[in-house]
Amino acid sequence: MNAVITGASKGIGKAIAEKLAREGFNIAICARNVKFLNQAVKDIQAQNPAVKVISMPADMGKKEDVLAFAEKIKSAFPVIDILVNNAGIFVPGSLDEQEDGLLEKMMAANVYSAYHLTRQLLPAMKALRKGHIFNLCSTASYKAYPNGGAYSITKFALLGFSRNLREELKTHNVKVTSLSPGPTLTASWDGFEGPPDRMMEPADVASLLWAAYTLSAQAVVEEVLMRPMLGDIQ
């Protein structure tokens, strides 16, 4: 069994990679920061020394990096059982105050990365009539909020991509799930001074992904909203 997780050097992506490694999946990951990426490989491998872990430094906001990562995946794993489109960047701020070009940059990292990588890996999934694609959306995909700016726009777009993909792949027996967590204790919240117990753990998202994956063949979870017990943090 083989799984691909983008943006998996830390946070939610790394938690998912570690969970799937423990369950016996070979893992392919990518991230921009080489130091964090190399440490993630060690940590994931430590979860299960029997599985294969491959990695590649990649800026998923650059199409050429996405395509290069796809080629590495295809050369290592002839079958992809799970694809997790998790890579992305988070920059808060109002639309009229954010720097020019930020929307384009965030669309490339948060949406186009998933689009291009999925297109590269889909032919094999469709041919084998198996596979499960998870797109890491957000509660911001469903409800706009003050200071959401370009980030919220990209997450709305990613949910639209995921919904469209679900409709297209029904008859090909490839599952598609949109996971939309709210505030989660990751590096995206560095500098936030709220108590950690107001946020979810990355492992919570990994556990929910696994629960969705292990349903019967005739069942699919299309969309999931996850929030901290006390709700979103404004």
Side-chain angles (χ1 to χ4, degrees), residues 86-172:
N86 170 71
I89 53 177
F90 168 70
V91 181
S94 60
L95 292 176
D96 62 323
E97 296 177 352
Q98 291 183 318
E99 65 182 50
D100 185 49
L102 181 62
L103 176 60
E104 291 86 345
K105 179 180 179 180
M106 294 184 74
M107 283 293 292
N110 296 359
V111 183
Y112 299 158
S113 63
Y115 172 81
H116 292 306
L117 185 59
T118 301
R119 276 168 49 86
Q120 291 297 309
L121 302 182
L122 260 185
M125 290 183 175
K126 290 169 68 174
L128 294 170
R129 295 186 56 79
K130 64 177 295 187
H132 199 147
I133 300 168
F134 290 90
N135 295 308
L136 263 295
C137 298
S138 167
T139 51
S141 298
Y142 291 86
K143 181 180 179 181
Y145 61 93
N147 224 35
Y151 175 77
S152 187
I153 293 172
T154 66
K155 288 300 183 177
F156 266 90
L158 185 61
L159 179 60
F161 163 72
S162 195
R163 286 174 171 174
N164 191 80
L165 200 61
R166 162 66 178 143
E167 292 303 315
E168 291 187 4
L169 297 180
K170 282 179 178 178
T171 58
H172 296 282

Side-chain angles (χ1 to χ4, degrees), residues 193-227:
E193 298 181 355
D197 61 3
R198 276 292 281 112
M199 289 184 273
M200 298 179 292
E201 295 288 341
D204 293 328
V205 183
S207 295
L208 187 54
L209 180 147
W210 182 248
Y213 177 73
T214 52
L215 295 178
S216 65
Q218 63 268 30
V220 60
V221 176
E222 294 183 326
E223 298 180 20
V224 178
L225 274 165
M226 300 177 66
R227 284 190 171 91

